[in-house]
Amino acid sequence: MILRVLFLGEGTSDSGITTHIRRIAIENGHDVVITDPMIERLPPSRQKTIKSRLEAIKELGGKYELVVVHRDADRDGRESRLQEIDGAVTAVMPSVSFVGVIPIRMTEAWLMLDEQNLRVVAGNPNGRTDLGLPKPKAVESIPDPKAALAEKLALASGLSGRKLDKFKKRFPEHRRQLLDRINPLGPICGVSSWKDFNEDLLSGLRKASS
């Protein structure tokens, strides 16, 4: 059975998560086809909430066995986000299983643990500047992971002046690349929300295929 999976991210730079959805599915014997729609092409009024996005996709004829929704916990916490996702999917696609991908605070917390990946994406793989990366168990307590990741990338780039200014403008693309390049056997294994993502996705895949 081929499972049709719908992925909804918060923005286009979240698409790297689909790499890991596909990997986890394949490693556990599930055949999947993942749809990652370009939400920004929907009318602005249909982009605002998970529910409105799902409604628009359903109207376009989308049919799925599993919906995977990425939503940063921010200040609301994991349980609040899960309830939000549950309510939206139940209202629009009641017979479809769902999984929440919910990094604590922000997804950027997942992306500043692998030093070599940061240097490669920053375009300076042989750099030696100390990046001062956090430990896996502490990374989700960083108040502003997005700003911290931007700082680490800037350090890793070794750039300055106008070149650094141009580099900083490419942050969404750098973020997408880092998501895609996460090593599932690397430091990320020590992050609780990454473990939850893996376990919840596997449970969702099993439920959707039963």
Side-chain angles (χ1 to χ4, degrees), residues 144-175:
D144 189 346
K146 185 174 182 178
L149 178 62
E151 176 189 349
K152 304 305 182 188
L153 281 166
L155 279 173
S157 74
L159 299 173
S160 61
R162 291 183 178 179
K163 288 185 178 180
L164 180 58
D165 290 339
K166 290 181 180 180
F167 174 85
K168 289 179 176 178
K169 292 178 181 179
R170 299 198 297 274
F171 180 77
E173 174 59 20
H174 295 150
R175 182 183 182 279

Side-chain angles (χ1 to χ4, degrees), residues 44-119:
S45 62
R46 310 305 295 274
Q47 298 179 25
K48 294 182 178 179
T49 66
I50 298 169
K51 185 173 181 286
S52 64
R53 293 179 179 191
L54 288 172
E55 288 171 340
I57 290 167
K58 186 176 181 179
E59 289 169 9
L60 292 171
K63 294 183 179 180
Y64 307 95
E65 283 75 46
L66 181 65
V67 175
V68 180
V69 181
H70 164 250
R71 192 80 164 87
D72 286 341
D74 293 321
R75 293 180 177 83
D76 293 325
R78 173 179 166 81
E79 290 306 315
S80 176
R81 292 306 190 203
L82 283 173
Q83 290 175 13
E84 177 187 359
I85 296 166
D86 186 356
V89 177
T90 300
V92 182
M93 300 179 179
S95 62
V96 179
S97 300
F98 75 91
V99 172
V101 183
I102 308 174
I104 303 303
R105 295 189 187 273
M106 299 178 184
T107 308
E108 285 80 6
W110 287 358
L111 307 180
M112 63 179 91
L113 296 173
D114 192 317
E115 180 177 345
Q116 189 56 35
N117 272 346
L118 278 164
R119 295 190 189 280

Side-chain angles (χ1 to χ4, degrees), residues 1 73 89 114 135 154 193:
M1 176 184 180
V89 177
D114 192 317
K135 300 294 184 182
S193 63

Side-chain angles (χ1 to χ4, degrees), residues 34-49:
I34 302 173
T35 299
D36 179 11
M38 299 182 71
I39 299 299
E40 65 275 13
R41 291 188 177 180
L42 295 174
S45 62
R46 310 305 295 274
Q47 298 179 25
K48 294 182 178 179
T49 66

